[in-house]
Each structure stands twice: as C-alpha cells, then as structure tokens.
C-alpha cells in the first residue's frame, strides 16, 4: 500500500489529489513543519532531501511531485491521466509539470525560503528576493494564462495530472502578490479543479 | 524530423546527447546568447519562455529537458533509456531528473542569472546570491554523491537519460565553486559519460 508523507499547504497536495483520483488505497503521515520534523533523523531516512512530499511504495521510496504523480497514475492503471499512450502528449504533460516545479514553485519559494539562496543572516537580500516574487511568479502565470493552459483543463479536453498540480501551486498566488484579476483563466481553472470530489476529499483529509 | 534549438554550455546538451544515443535524424539551430537571440520575436514564437532548449517535432514544439529527453527516447523506440517498462524505475528516473532541473540547475543559475530573483540593479543582493552558490550546489552534489548516484550509471547497471543530464549539469560544478575532490563518484561518472561516442559527437557538433 502507498504511504504519502505530506504537510498542509505544500505541493504534496498535488499527489494527494491524484491518489484520490485513481481510487487506490493509501495512508498519509503528516510531517510537522512547526517542529521541523522534516529535518529530523527519522524523516531524513525517508527523504534525505528533508522535504515533503515522499511516497513509500512496495518498491521503495519516491520523491519529486512530477515523478510521484506519473507513478501513481501509471502503476494504478490510469496512464491516461498522464496521456502516456501518446509520446508527444505525454511530453507536453511532463513539460508543463517541469515548468511548475522548476519555475513557478521555485520563484514562489523565494518568498518564504530565501535562506536557501543567500546567507540566513542577510535580511536585506532576503527582503530583496521577497520584493521580486510578485514579478517573477506573475510572469510565470502570464505565460500559463496566455500560452500553456489550453482549457478547460491544462491539456485541453482531458483532465490530467497537470490539473491538480496547477491547482496546488495556484493556492499560493495571492500570497505571492499576483493579482488574480490579471489571470482569469487560471482562476477559473482553480475553481473547476476545486469542485472535483477527489480534490475535496484530499483537502478535507489534510485539514482533519 | 526533429530540430533542436540549443546554445553551447547550456542544459540543451543533455537532449543533444540523447538524440545521438538513439541514432535518430535531427538538425540543430544555434541560438546566439551574446546577441540575446533567445529574447528575439522570432525565437519567442518557438519558445515563449525565451530560453533554450526547444525541440521542434512533427506534432509541435517541446521545451523542458526532462520532458524532451523522455520524448526522444519513447518516440524513437528506446523507452528502455528511461526504464519506462517499470513504473517504479521510471519514476526514479523522473525524480532524479526533476532534482537536476529544479534544484541543481536552479541553484547554479543564481551565479549567472541573479536578476531573475532580485531587481537587476541590486548588485549587493546579486553578489550575496553568488556567494551562496558553492554551498547550495555543493549540498546538491553531496546528496547525489552519497544517496542518488547508484553507479556505475545513475540508475545502476543500465545507462539512462539521467546520465547525459547529470553529465551536462556537472560541466558547471567547478565554476560554481564545488570542490571536485569532495565528490569523486560524480567526477568519475562525468568522465565515463564523456567517453561515450554519442557524447563526443554531440559536443563536437556544438563546438563546430
């Protein structure tokens, strides 16, 4: 059985929603960031990166959201959720998810995790990075709004793993200083994914 | 036929090597960063992100190295290069590549592309980010050296798309201030990938 290590309001939610979408049996373990559990010796044995999410499987432990979502879809008989039967369509799915993980999520992280990229004592540079977040994340969402999001779902008519992932990172955009009025299609997409039963169940579990 | 837009000394080399490994026919177009061609109106029609690489295929244009490499392998009859027949092994391949694109490459980029994350006029913060690169990239390579690189190839006995990707980003590690003596297995892996005929051909083409 699968076991998902998560923390609320993190990108772990994307894989959590996919677990609900495929209808597999799984359990969850909450990692308490307030107590810095993600850096505890016990958790570092699960994920040496000291972050969430991590997914314990019968074959071993997986990390990295784009990889975990494809694994859940492929191993639970739902490769269609990643359009895996068509190499080009699958590559588009992967390209979108790579953009979320390496651009949107990273730019966002400069608001809360600046000490990854400058010395933790350098408050001036950390503040400078925070001031840039609305611009960098805003530019990411402009591209998604106008070029990447096909509609109604990210890949067009078919719901894929891109949708819960965009939904998840889009939870953070107001906090990042991005004006939701400037990206109405992203906001409408977020509303649409939020209405799905699988999404509601995953969120309810994280909050329980 | 495939067409790869690249610039020398960028992560485009990873896909270039995979194109050589699978032995497909393709052409290349060099994007001149010195003339800022990646931001030209012509190139932005190819890749609205204004970056390399981009891969023109019969079905459309792809970006993002992890997605492009899987596409080349899968569409050219070499899904074994991504261990795609085994969902868990494939997920490990994807997790490794996600780590390179969202952690190693991004941390590296703080040395040359600091203006993505602070105002371009803020030389003090840009310098602060540059000083952090040996630590952040160094920590990434420590993890690769001790936890992720199975040896002799990244995934163990089988050469996969992870290998040219690690080889490519590992070109930058001395410039990032990482001590090669501290990561002998990574350095030995780099040497091993560099000796492959496909790697040599791709590099020769980029330099020609």
């Amino acid at each position: 059985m699968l076991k998902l290590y998560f923390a609320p309001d993190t990108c772990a939610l994307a894989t959590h929603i996919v677990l609900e979408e495929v209808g597999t049996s799984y359990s969850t373990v909450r990692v308490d960031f307030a107590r810095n559990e993600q850096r505890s010796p016990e958790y570092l044995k699960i994920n040496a990166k000291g972050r969430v999410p991590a997914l314990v499987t019968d074959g071993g432990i997986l990390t990295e959201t784009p990889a975990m979502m494809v694994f859940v879809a492929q191993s639970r008989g739902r490769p269609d959720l990643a359009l895996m039967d068509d190499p080009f369509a699958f590559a588009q799915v992967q390209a979108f998810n790579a953009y979320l993980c390496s651009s949107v999520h990273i730019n966002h992280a400069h608001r809360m995790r600046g000490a990854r990229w400058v010395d933790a004592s350098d408050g001036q540079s950390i503040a400078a990075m925070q001031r840039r977040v609305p611009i960098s994340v805003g530019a990411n969402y402009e591209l998604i709004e106008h070029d990447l999001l096909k509609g109604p779902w990210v890949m067009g008519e078919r719901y894929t793993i891109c949708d819960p992932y965009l939904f998840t990172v889009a939870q953070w955009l107001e906090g990042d200083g991005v004006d939701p009025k400037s990206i109405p299609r992203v906001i409408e997409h977020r509303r649409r994914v939020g209405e799905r039963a699988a999404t509601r169940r995953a969120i309810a579990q994280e909050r329980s």
Side-chain angles (χ1 to χ4, degrees), chain A:
Chain A
M1 196 172 81
L2 301 172
K3 187 196 290 185
L4 177 69
Y5 284 82
F6 80 99
D9 304 317
T10 71
C11 63
L13 177 61
T15 302
H16 201 161
I17 295 171
V18 178
L19 287 165
E20 284 291 330
E21 289 284 356
V22 304
T24 192
S25 60
Y26 67 96
S27 61
T28 58
V29 179
R30 187 188 182 117
V31 180
D32 189 345
F33 278 24
R35 292 170 53 201
N36 213 28
E37 270 183 4
Q38 75 274 25
R39 306 295 311 172
S40 67
E42 293 76 20
Y43 187 70
L44 290 174
K45 285 179 197 159
I46 304 292
N47 181 4
K49 297 171 187 168
R51 301 196 187 165
V52 293
L55 186 69
V56 181
T57 81
D58 291 341
I61 297 171
L62 292 173
T63 59
E64 305 289 345
T65 295
M68 290 164 57
M69 291 192 302
V70 171
F71 174 79
V72 172
Q74 187 182 16
S75 69
R76 265 55 189 173
R78 292 296 307 278
D80 58 294
L81 279 176
L83 311 181
M84 291 185 80
D85 55 331
D86 176 341
F88 183 77
F90 179 47
Q92 287 189 304
V93 167
Q94 298 233 83
F96 186 83
N97 290 346
Y99 186 67
L100 293 188
C101 94
S102 67
S103 291
V104 185
H105 190 159
I106 296 294
N107 289 341
H108 156 77
H110 284 70
R111 178 162 63 90
M112 309 280 281
R113 306 283 181 193
R116 289 180 187 166
W117 296 289
V118 295
D119 192 274
S121 67
D122 183 353
Q124 197 169 342
S125 296
I126 287 174
M129 288 190 287
Q130 290 171 335
R131 284 194 301 274
R132 189 74 177 176
V133 169
I135 297 169
S136 60
V137 177
N140 294 151
Y141 279 108
E142 285 294 310
L143 188 78
I144 293 170
E145 175 83 8
H146 298 295
D147 290 276
L148 304 184
L149 172 57
K150 296 180 183 174
W153 306 113
V154 170
M155 287 295 138
E157 295 301 321
R158 288 171 70 183
Y159 177 90
T160 68
I161 54 174
C162 299
D163 296 300
Y165 198 11
L166 176 57
F167 170 83
T168 296
V169 301
Q171 303 303 305
W172 311 326
L173 67 86
E174 284 91 348
D176 285 343
V178 177
D179 180 5
K181 291 192 192 69
S182 68
I183 47 171
R185 297 178 67 241
V186 171
I187 299 301
E188 171 61 17
H189 175 270
R190 186 175 67 177
R191 186 194 61 70
R192 198 178 296 125
V193 178
E195 285 180 345
R196 292 175 72 93
T199 308
R200 291 182 177 192
R201 286 194 300 270
I203 291 174
Q205 284 176 22
E206 294 204 351
R207 291 181 181 167
S208 68

